[in-house]
């Protein structure tokens, strides 16, 4: 019997995870990436329990987290460093912040090892609902299924008029890795995730490996510090007790203005979308990658169980879309805490931190949801 074929636009987290998931289901997989090699954008990435279980199902978990540390506690502190919230993140499952390079290269290597093809320098410019993926050089390829995993500016999505709206979050994030110092081991707090707040500014400190920490500085539109370049003096004035962090931050970090997108539909004919092309969101829940991977795994599971591909895609979209859109909404609202008066924001953050039921239905809802297609979790 001839294997069914899938053509994937984009070799990012969603595209590679989808390729690997389909290979494990016996499909023939071709991935097309516009760049000349895998693009390692960003520094580190949050992977909560949902995403980790996908990595286990795909057979790359050990490689991805080999150098990462498991983070079990999260703090929240005011402008002067006063602790006003602490949370056991392990109550929502495991949490690692591996380097993006480790995640992407592990997925890429496993795709190749299982016989998948990755074609570089092949930017997709559109698709046809009959299952045709089109490229910038005028060529095209036909497959049983086409997946657009080509990012927030997806040309596959836009060629089929699937976008409903794009909304800017009005917030900018500067993301970078800093080195951990041997002196840091003297302070227990430096082994924990911590959100530091001062008015509308937020500094996220998140240990990634034994040598590196992930830093994200978030500011709102209209703030002189929003956008590039990194203004060290301004941030030191905002968080003077964190000067030791600021002194380690280089100026070559990656910055983005955050957005949320919503689609009219996730599928059209034999074409479907995953990752940022379908579910782009501000990074405040750390679920962009997790949602992309869980969607990829559940997609491969759904269409591999049915001979009627379009019916299977419809069922998959019904099962996944409402939940993913809820995660996007919560992420956007969590980011909007920056716009609240500090006392009100502090009240809300204490509420989230102290109520597990509320956390698991809002800011941790994706982390605790079992990925469809993953093995049952051991008791």
């Amino acid at each position: 019997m001839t294997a069914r074929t899938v053509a994937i636009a984009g070799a990012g987290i969603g595209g590679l995870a989808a390729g690997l998931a389909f290979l494990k289901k016996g499909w023939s997989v071709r991935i097309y990436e516009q760049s000349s090699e895998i693009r390692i954008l960003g520094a580190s990435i949050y992977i909560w329990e949902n995403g980790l279980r996908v990595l286990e199902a795909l057979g790359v978990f050990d490689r991805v987290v080999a150098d990462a540390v498991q983070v079990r506690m999260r703090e929240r502190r005011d402008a002067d460093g006063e602790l006003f919230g602490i949370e056991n993140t392990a109550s929502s499952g495991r949490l690692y912040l591996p380097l993006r390079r480790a995640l992407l290269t592990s997925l890429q290597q496993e795709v190749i090892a299982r016989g998948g093809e990755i074609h570089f320098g092949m930017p997709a410019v559109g698709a046809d609902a009959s299952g045709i993926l089109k490229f910038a050089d005028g060529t095209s390829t036909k497959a049983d299924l086409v997946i657009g995993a080509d990012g927030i500016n997806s040309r596959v999505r836009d060629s089929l008029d699937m976008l409903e709206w794009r909304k800017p979050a009005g917030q900018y994030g500067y993301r970078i890795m800093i080195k951990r110092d041997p002196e840091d081991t003297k302070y227990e707090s430096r082994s924990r995730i911590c959100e530091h707040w001062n008015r509308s500014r937020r500094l996220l400190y998140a240990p990634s490996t034994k040598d590196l920490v992930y830093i994200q500085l978030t500011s709102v539109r209209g703030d002189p510090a929003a956008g590039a370049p990194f203004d060290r003096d301004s941030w030191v004035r905002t968080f003077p007790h964190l000067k030791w962090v600021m002194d380690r931050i280089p100026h070559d970090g990656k910055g983005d203005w955050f957005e949320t997108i919503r689609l009219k539909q996730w599928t059209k004919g034999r074409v479907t979308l995953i990752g940022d092309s379908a579910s782009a969101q501000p990074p405040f829940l750390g679920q962009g990658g997790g949602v992309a991977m869980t969607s990829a795994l559940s997609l491969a599971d759904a269409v591999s169980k049915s001979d009627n591909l379009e019916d299977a895609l419809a069922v998959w979209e019904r099962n996944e879309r409402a939940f993913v859109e809820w995660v996007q909404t919560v992420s956007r609202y969590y980011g909007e805490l920056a716009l609240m008066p500090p006392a009100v924001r502090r009240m809300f953050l204490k509420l989230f931190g102290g109520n597990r039921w509320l956390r698991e239905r809002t800011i941790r809802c994706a982390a605790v949801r079992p990925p469809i297609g993953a093995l049952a979790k051991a008791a």
Side-chain angles (χ1 to χ4, degrees), residues 39-178:
R39 294 183 298 163
I40 311 296
L41 299 177
S44 186
I45 180 170
Y46 272 71
I47 308 184
W48 291 87
E49 181 67 32
N50 58 325
L52 295 171
R53 291 183 62 189
V54 174
L55 297 181
E56 289 172 336
L58 297 179
V60 296
F61 172 83
D62 290 337
R63 276 176 277 174
V64 173
V65 304
D67 296 322
V69 295
Q70 184 175 354
V71 182
R72 293 179 170 85
M73 301 298 291
R74 182 187 189 108
E75 298 180 346
R76 295 182 175 91
R77 294 181 179 268
D78 279 338
D80 58 1
E82 178 187 351
L83 181 70
F84 69 87
I86 188 165
E87 172 193 340
N88 176 10
T89 59
S91 66
S92 301
R94 298 164 294 173
L95 169 62
Y96 289 86
L97 281 83
L99 299 179
R100 282 179 178 265
R101 181 176 299 278
L103 174 59
L104 289 168
T105 56
S106 297
L107 290 170
Q108 178 190 17
Q109 290 166 2
E110 191 66 12
V111 166
I112 298 300
R114 289 185 170 270
E117 300 175 12
I118 304 179
H119 301 273
F120 294 101
M122 294 289 289
V125 296
D128 186 275
S130 64
I132 296 174
L133 183 60
K134 304 174 184 178
F135 304 104
D137 63 2
T139 62
S140 63
T141 188
K142 186 170 178 60
D144 293 304
L145 174 64
V146 170
I147 299 175
D150 49 340
I152 193 169
N153 296 313
S154 171
R155 298 184 74 177
V156 172
R157 176 196 66 214
D158 293 345
S159 72
L160 293 171
D161 189 30
M162 297 168 76
L163 179 68
E164 183 174 359
W165 50 254
R166 294 177 69 157
K167 290 184 180 178
Q171 297 193 52
Y172 179 85
Y174 181 82
R175 293 173 277 178
I176 196 66
M177 305 300 291
I178 65 171

Side-chain angles (χ1 to χ4, degrees), residues 173-284:
Y174 181 82
R175 293 173 277 178
I176 196 66
M177 305 300 291
I178 65 171
K179 291 183 178 180
R180 302 180 80 173
D181 191 279
E183 188 75 9
D184 294 345
T185 60
K186 296 180 181 179
Y187 304 92
E188 184 180 8
S189 62
R190 297 187 188 184
S191 67
R192 299 173 173 178
I193 294 174
C194 188
E195 279 185 334
H196 299 266
W197 290 89
N198 187 352
R199 298 186 181 179
S200 61
R201 291 186 183 181
R202 185 185 75 144
L203 184 149
L204 175 67
Y205 174 98
S208 176
T209 71
K210 65 181 181 64
D211 299 316
L212 296 169
V213 174
Y214 173 64
I215 301 294
Q216 180 173 282
L217 307 173
T218 308
S219 44
V220 300
R221 192 175 299 281
D223 185 330
F230 166 56
D231 188 339
R232 190 186 313 276
D233 291 341
S234 178
W235 281 95
V236 169
R237 289 193 296 272
T238 301
F239 298 105
H241 64 289
L242 296 177
K243 186 177 184 299
W244 63 274
V245 173
M246 307 303 176
D247 288 344
R248 301 181 197 179
I249 296 178
H251 284 83
D252 60 347
K254 181 179 185 294
D256 292 295
W257 288 98
F258 305 141
E259 291 184 75
T260 303
I261 70 166
R262 191 60 48 85
L263 304 188
K264 300 173 184 176
Q265 59 201 94
W266 278 17
T267 64
K268 182 171 283 191
R270 292 179 172 267
V271 180
T272 194
L273 303 170
I274 60 170
D276 282 350
S277 62
S279 55
Q281 59 191 275
F284 300 113

